[in-house]
Amino acid sequence: MANHQDETRAAYDGVVELYASLFANRLEAQPFARAMIGTFAELVRATGNPRAADVGCGPGHLTAMLHELGLDAFGLDLSPGMVDHARRAHPELRFREARMESLPIEDGALGGVLAHYSMIHTPPGELPELLAEQVRVLAPGGLLLVSFFGTDGPEPVRFDHKVAPAYSWPADRLAELLAGAGLVPFARLLHDPASERGFLDAHLLARRTDRAVP
C-alpha cells in the first residue's frame, strides 16, 4: 500500500493549484452530489454528534460546505500540498495530513465521514482495510457517504484518471464491502453525468451498526 499511496500523494502534490481551480466550485453544477452531501449533513446532525471528517479533502471546499451545513467538520488529506492550500483557502477550519488507512482519530469519535471520490485510487484488494478504518472512527449510528465512479459491469474497472490511476466500482459490489465492514447501506444515487469516461456518478450512504467493529 505504501508505494501506491506515495505515488498518489506525489501526483496530487503536482497539481494542487490546477485541481483547486477546476474543482473548488464544481458542486455548483452538480445538484445530485449537493443533495447527497446535504442529506448526509442533516442525518449526521440528527445523531447528536456533529463531528465529521472529510477524508481526502483536497483543497477543502467540501470541508467548508459541511461546516456551512452545521457540522464540526475538519479535513484530512494524503497530499501536504492540498492540506497547505486548504489551510490558506479556509483558515477558520482545521486540516491535517493523514493516510486514509491510518486516521489520527480516536475510536468511535465521529458522527460522520465523507469520502468524496477519495477512495477511487485504492486498489480493490486494499479497499476493505480502508473501509474498516473509516468504520473504526465512527460512533455507533454514525454515517459514511462514499462517492465514486460507478460501472454497470460485474467487477471494478481500472482506468487512467487524469491525476493517478483509479478504479470504478459496481454499486452492488461496493455496498457489499460496506456491509462487510460493519455498515448498513441504506441509500444510493446513481446518475449519468455525461462524462467522457462513460462512468456513472455514484453515491452510497451507510450507517455504522451497533455491533463491534471486526
Side-chain angles (χ1 to χ4, degrees):
M1 181 178 288
N3 288 340
H4 147 66
Q5 295 279 23
D6 291 344
E7 291 170 3
T8 302
R9 177 179 59 196
Y12 275 94
D13 273 345
V15 296
V16 172
E17 298 304 324
L18 175 61
Y19 187 94
S21 69
L22 291 174
F23 291 97
N25 297 316
R26 188 171 178 180
L27 282 195
E28 293 178 2
Q30 294 186 337
F32 293 108
R34 285 203 315 274
M36 287 299 283
I37 293 172
T39 299
F40 165 79
E42 180 177 348
L43 293 175
V44 172
R45 292 197 308 270
T47 70
N49 180 358
R51 191 179 178 203
D54 177 11
V55 294
C57 65
H61 55 300
L62 295 186
T63 315
M65 182 178 178
L66 294 179
H67 175 74
E68 292 169 359
L69 291 170
L71 299 186
D72 178 15
F74 59 97
L76 303 170
D77 202 277
L78 178 68
S79 161
M82 288 291 183
V83 170
D84 180 66
H85 180 96
R87 287 171 173 166
R88 289 185 282 108
H90 308 283
E92 73 284 6
L93 300 178
R94 293 162 289 146
F95 297 95
R96 180 174 176 180
E97 184 182 347
R99 293 177 181 265
M100 292 180 69
E101 78 278 8
S102 182
L103 297 173
I105 303 169
E106 60 271 26
D107 294 355
L110 302 183
V113 171
L114 175 68
H116 189 80
Y117 294 91
S118 54
M119 296 185 182
I120 62 171
H121 302 295
T122 303
E126 298 175 7
L127 197 57
E129 178 184 350
L130 214 63
L131 290 172
E133 180 68 353
Q134 317 311 304
V135 175
R136 179 189 67 79
V137 301
L138 282 173
L143 294 114
L144 171 66
L145 175 59
V146 181
S147 299
F148 57 100
F149 294 108
T151 179
D152 290 327
E155 300 293 335
V157 176
R158 187 181 187 277
F159 68 95
D160 291 327
H161 185 272
K162 291 181 179 178
V163 180
Y167 298 83
S168 65
W169 277 84
D172 287 342
R173 284 287 305 279
L174 191 52
E176 290 172 0
L177 291 183
L178 293 174
L183 296 160
V184 177
F186 64 91
R188 68 176 64 181
L189 174 61
L190 305 174
H191 67 98
D192 183 357
S195 76
E196 58 200 33
R197 298 190 186 100
F199 297 131
L200 300 174
D201 277 345
H203 313 270
L204 283 175
L205 189 55
R207 190 185 305 274
R208 182 183 163 181
T209 62
D210 289 337
R211 67 180 176 85
V213 179

